[in-house]
Amino acid sequence: MLAALLAALPLAALASPPPSDWQNASVCNGKYSAQMKHTFYETATTAGVRGEAGVVRHPFAHGSFPNPAYYLVEVEVSSRSDVHPNWVVDSRERDGYDSYSGEPVQVGTVVFKNAGCKLLATARVSVQCPGSAAIETKTFTRNWDGCGL
């Protein structure tokens, strides 16, 4: 009876759900926040991912302090499938001095679903804190093997 119940389950019930996730990582002793997000999605025939990253003043930071001396935000998305086994990569970046990133940097990709479907998203935020030569970097990566199949 158990075997009959398992056989009756749709294959979609066994598929992995999209691993969408986000992260707000504190930088420069809590003065700024590295905001990174990956949104995975699917249709009946395709799967995709959109990654984004930015740096902002931390919402709970108190007092006044200068802008970051320098920042670099980078987002990279990659896809591959049985039809195209080599990784297809797209990326965006933005940097600036004595400022924040403003709107987050975003990039996305879509691939046809099949057994070899894979999606990968990486966001990286690097900040040079005021009064320091050191650069603090936060990285956030998520992948989706099988793209829901």
Side-chain angles (χ1 to χ4, degrees):
M1 175 138 169
L2 180 59
L5 285 173
L6 289 176
L9 285 175
L11 289 177
L14 302 175
S16 66
S20 297
D21 204 357
W22 59 274
Q23 183 179 86
N24 283 331
S26 178
V27 292
C28 298
N29 295 319
K31 292 180 176 75
Y32 315 108
S33 182
Q35 297 180 331
M36 301 169 284
K37 180 179 178 182
H38 303 307
T39 305
F40 292 82
Y41 55 91
E42 63 181 316
T43 68
T45 58
T46 63
V49 61
R50 187 183 79 243
E52 60 184 74
V55 61
V56 298
R57 178 184 166 103
H58 196 284
F60 300 113
H62 297 287
S64 97
F65 45 87
N67 291 335
Y70 173 77
Y71 76 87
L72 171 64
V73 292
E74 307 166 277
V75 181
E76 181 177 284
V77 293
S78 306
S79 63
R80 72 182 197 182
S81 67
D82 287 343
V83 178
H84 301 285
N86 295 327
W87 285 102
V88 175
V89 180
D90 195 4
S91 63
R92 300 281 185 275
E93 66 180 48
R94 181 183 306 138
D95 68 344
Y97 293 89
D98 191 31
S99 65
Y100 299 97
S101 64
E103 292 294 316
V105 172
Q106 298 182 16
V107 66
T109 189
V110 177
V111 65
F112 285 106
K113 293 190 329 187
N114 59 39
C117 178
K118 293 185 181 201
L119 292 167
L120 175 68
T122 299
R124 185 173 300 108
V125 176
S126 301
V127 178
Q128 182 182 5
C129 303
S132 173
I135 293 183
E136 192 173 338
T137 300
K138 302 294 182 180
T139 303
F140 183 58
T141 300
R142 287 290 179 265
N143 67 296
W144 194 15
D145 292 344
C147 303
L149 289 180

